[in-house]
Amino acid sequence: MRLLVVEDDAALAATLRRALEREGHAVDTAADGDEALWFACEQDYDVVVLDVMLPGPDGFEVVRRMRGAGRWAPVLLLTARDGVVDRIAGLDAGADDYLTKPFSVGELAARVRALARRAPQERPVVLRVGDLVLDPASREVTRAGVPVDLSPKEFALLQALMRRPGEALSRSALIEQVWDFAYDGTSNVVDVYIGYLRDKVDRPFGRRSVLTVRGAGYRVVDDTSGAAPEAPGG
């Protein structure tokens, strides 16, 4: 297998390279985010081992740019951070697995083998509902070809709705998908963010595609005519 190891600690990078080469792998190394992006976009790798804390673009940004450029090699993030938020950020950016420092070289090698056994990744399907388009890979949203700037939570909420167009999703289902099972914030958080979405993807375009389904939740429909019916109350 051909691997890319991205690590700014020269001693650790050398250790990982030697260990992975002993397993029969061909290994390239990069020491910063810019160099990592050049390698990842110019060469085909079976797995990329990527430190999060890098000079230049950090590991999260490197993954995002790789995916945006259509490079789908599995990515194993190395992080000194063990917080749930950081792990989620890495996976949301497009990484496939993570390993918290300090780690054993044996475990890293096993993770690399596991990632390499997976079927090759494909670019996530672009979601379309009428003229509303959401690209999960580039994390871009457009309406009638016009870019729409969404916050991460707004993007995640719209993505959850557009994955099941026309289907009513309950507030609790949306909280579980966009926030988490243990979310203990205000009970109207979904309603608030639905309002934000309407202000960005509907009203500026004369649309009513983010609809309230009374007693059930919310849904997204094709409203290219601007005349979609909506239940009373929203």
Side-chain angles (χ1 to χ4, degrees):
M1 293 191 298
R2 187 170 188 182
L3 311 179
L4 174 62
V5 173
V6 186
E7 171 59 64
D8 64 328
D9 182 324
L12 178 57
T15 297
L16 296 180
R17 180 172 191 160
R18 287 193 298 269
L20 293 168
E21 286 178 340
R22 281 197 297 271
E23 295 213 351
H25 307 310
V27 182
D28 293 328
T29 59
D32 60 47
D34 290 320
E35 190 177 19
L37 283 167
W38 186 88
F39 274 109
C41 292
E42 291 295 323
Q43 307 293 333
D44 292 324
Y45 292 100
D46 295 291
V47 178
V48 176
V49 178
L50 177 64
D51 189 26
V52 168
M53 302 300 291
L54 293 171
D58 65 14
F60 299 145
E61 184 62 21
V62 169
V63 178
R64 280 191 287 267
R65 294 189 194 180
M66 281 178 57
R67 300 316 189 209
R71 309 302 286 184
W72 303 105
V75 172
L76 173 63
L77 281 181
L78 305 180
T79 175
R81 305 170 176 178
D82 58 1
V84 172
V85 172
D86 293 311
R87 296 200 298 270
I88 291 173
L91 297 173
D92 282 347
D96 300 89
D97 198 1
Y98 62 87
L99 192 56
T100 303
K101 296 179 179 178
F103 54 82
S104 74
V105 174
E107 182 179 4
L108 180 139
R111 298 279 187 107
V112 166
R113 291 193 297 270
L115 286 174
R117 285 195 296 268
R118 294 184 182 180
Q121 286 187 318
E122 297 180 356
R123 181 184 177 89
V125 175
V126 174
L127 304 177
R128 302 176 188 272
V129 179
D131 61 359
L132 183 62
V133 179
L134 182 149
D135 187 338
S138 65
R139 301 191 70 79
E140 294 175 346
V141 174
T142 60
R143 169 135 250 172
V146 178
V148 179
D149 185 24
L150 299 181
S151 72
K153 285 297 184 190
E154 291 163 355
F155 183 94
L157 180 58
L158 183 61
Q159 184 177 15
L161 291 165
M162 290 182 67
R163 280 174 174 164
R164 297 160 74 175
E167 183 176 341
L169 299 180
S170 69
R171 289 170 177 82
S172 60
L174 291 169
I175 284 176
E176 290 173 1
Q177 292 183 53
V178 178
W179 284 267
D180 58 49
F181 289 98
Y183 180 79
D184 60 358
T186 56
S187 59
N188 68 338
V189 65
V190 174
D191 309 303
V192 170
Y193 273 84
I194 287 290
Y196 295 158
L197 279 183
R198 287 171 172 159
D199 286 341
K200 293 183 177 182
V201 304
D202 272 357
R203 294 188 177 100
F205 301 90
R207 301 282 196 266
R208 294 182 67 192
S209 60
V210 182
L211 305 183
T212 301
V213 181
R214 188 168 55 188
Y218 296 100
R219 62 178 174 149
V220 165
V221 300
D222 179 357
D223 179 32
T224 51
S225 69
E230 182 168 4

